[in-house]
């Protein structure tokens, strides 16, 4: 690929526009926390953040694990279904399978971000994906696949949010500032990584029925550790610690 970073960004934007991929923050937090928290805690988590509501990390971890297991099971089942047609239908099934798999990566990335006190990533009044959201989702996926530069960059963004206690992503840092070079680097790596993964998934689908079992298992075996890697990283950031406050305002960027 001549431009793997552009390839990955195009895949990210396409997946983000699929039905059901975007998570509505307020509704999700209410559903995820209702078993563990009082109405007052939930209302404050929605208005500010779970950290500001003082929700213990142990509770957030339980909610996160439930969401991870749910999304993993759903992604695995859909992947297995896509594997049933076999080699004859590969041109039709592979793009859809890759898209739904990546869509579930974005779904769990959003859910984990909201549990661990990141701001809303999407403008619910627009179908577009702004550059800052592309950047932070790229970094989240980078953390999921284990790139150290993504870990460091996510830490920088979280630090900006934590130090200045605001509820908006740092647009400049993610699009042309201190974090942007890491976003480009991670996107390039992911563009190559996704192509290799697509090839592996293609091989797993070559034989009908057996391909369905292998494909579903492949999805489960890769999805779970990636989601848990992101969960552990976000949970360890200052932004997620109980008692951390956020306010309305714009971030002051370097």
């Amino acid at each position: 690929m001549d431009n793997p970073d552009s390839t990955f960004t195009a895949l990210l934007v396409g997946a983000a526009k699929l039905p059901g991929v975007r998570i509505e923050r307020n509704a999700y937090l209410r559903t995820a926390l209702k078993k563990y928290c009082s109405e007052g805690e939930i209302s404050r988590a929605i208005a500010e953040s779970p950290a500001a509501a003082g929700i213990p990390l142990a509770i957030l971890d339980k909610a996160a694990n439930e969401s991870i297991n749910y999304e993993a099971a759903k992604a695995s089942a859909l992947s297995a279904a896509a594997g049933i047609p076999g080699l004859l239908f590969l041109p039709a099934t592979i793009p859809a399978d890759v898209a739904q798999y990546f869509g579930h990566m974005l779904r769990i990335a959003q859910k984990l971000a909201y549990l661990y006190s990141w701001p809303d990533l999407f403008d619910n009044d627009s179908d577009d994906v702004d550059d800052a959201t592309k950047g932070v989702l790229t970094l989240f996926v980078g953390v999921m696949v284990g790139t150290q530069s993504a870990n460091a960059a996510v830490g920088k963004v979280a630090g900006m949010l934590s130090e200045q206690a605001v509820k908006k992503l740092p647009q400049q840092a993610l699009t042309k500032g201190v974090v942007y070079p890491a976003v480009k680097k991670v996107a390039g790596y992911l563009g190559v990584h996704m192509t290799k993964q697509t090839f592996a998934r293609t091989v797993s689908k070559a034989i009908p029925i057996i391909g369905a079992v292998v494909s579903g298992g492949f999805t489960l075996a890769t999805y779970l550790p990636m989601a848990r890697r992101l969960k552990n990283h976000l949970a360890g950031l200052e932004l997620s610690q109980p008692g951390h406050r956020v306010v309305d305002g714009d971030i002051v960027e370097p």
Side-chain angles (χ1 to χ4, degrees):
M1 293 179 295
D2 292 332
N3 295 294
D5 56 334
S6 298
T7 299
F8 174 78
T9 300
L11 175 60
L12 186 153
V13 172
K17 291 184 177 181
L18 291 173
V21 168
R22 297 192 187 190
I23 302 299
E24 206 286 308
R25 175 185 175 275
N26 296 357
Y28 168 68
L29 286 176
R30 181 168 295 281
T31 299
L33 298 174
K34 65 182 179 181
K35 290 199 304 184
Y36 307 108
C37 301
S38 67
E39 179 59 33
E41 290 173 323
I42 293 172
S43 295
R44 187 169 180 187
I46 290 171
E48 296 186 56
S49 72
I55 299 174
L57 283 175
I59 296 298
L60 298 179
D61 288 345
K62 287 182 181 180
N65 287 334
E66 289 180 355
S67 290
I68 288 171
N69 291 336
Y70 172 81
E71 294 295 338
K74 191 174 178 182
S76 181
L78 289 172
S79 181
I84 291 174
L87 191 61
L88 179 63
F89 297 97
L90 280 179
T93 59
I94 285 297
D97 183 37
V98 171
Q100 70 83 17
Y101 179 82
F102 195 65
H104 278 87
M105 290 176 68
L106 296 185
R107 280 178 57 86
I108 196 58
Q110 292 169 80
K111 288 184 174 184
L112 294 174
Y114 299 149
L115 281 173
Y116 294 111
S117 297
W118 285 67
D120 210 334
L121 301 180
F122 289 101
D123 179 356
N124 293 323
D125 296 325
S126 173
D127 291 331
D128 292 332
V129 184
D130 68 33
D131 289 339
T133 295
K134 293 176 193 174
V136 79
L137 287 176
T138 296
L139 295 177
F140 284 167
V141 175
V143 172
M144 293 173 83
V145 302
T147 60
Q148 291 303 311
S149 56
N151 286 356
V154 167
K156 285 183 180 179
V157 176
M160 295 178 194
L161 294 169
S162 180
E163 290 169 9
Q164 300 185 43
V166 296
K167 297 170 67 174
K168 297 180 181 179
L169 292 176
Q171 297 279 333
Q172 181 176 321
L174 283 162
T175 57
K176 56 185 178 182
V178 293
V179 181
Y180 184 63
V183 173
K184 290 285 288 182
K185 179 180 179 180
V186 172
Y189 171 80
L190 292 172
V192 175
H193 178 82
M194 295 299 292
T195 297
K196 291 179 179 178
Q197 190 176 75
T198 298
F199 175 76
R201 296 170 74 81
T202 300
V203 172
S204 77
K205 294 176 183 297
I207 304 173
I209 306 304
I210 294 177
V213 175
V214 172
S215 180
F218 178 87
T219 294
L220 194 62
T222 56
Y223 189 95
L224 280 174
M226 289 195 299
R228 288 168 180 162
R229 193 176 291 124
L230 179 61
K231 166 187 169 285
N232 292 337
H233 187 62
L234 296 182
L237 299 171
E238 180 65 26
L239 187 65
S240 68
Q241 304 309 303
H244 184 271
R245 297 292 307 278
V246 294
V247 297
D248 287 315
D250 295 318
I251 202 163
V252 178
E253 306 183 45

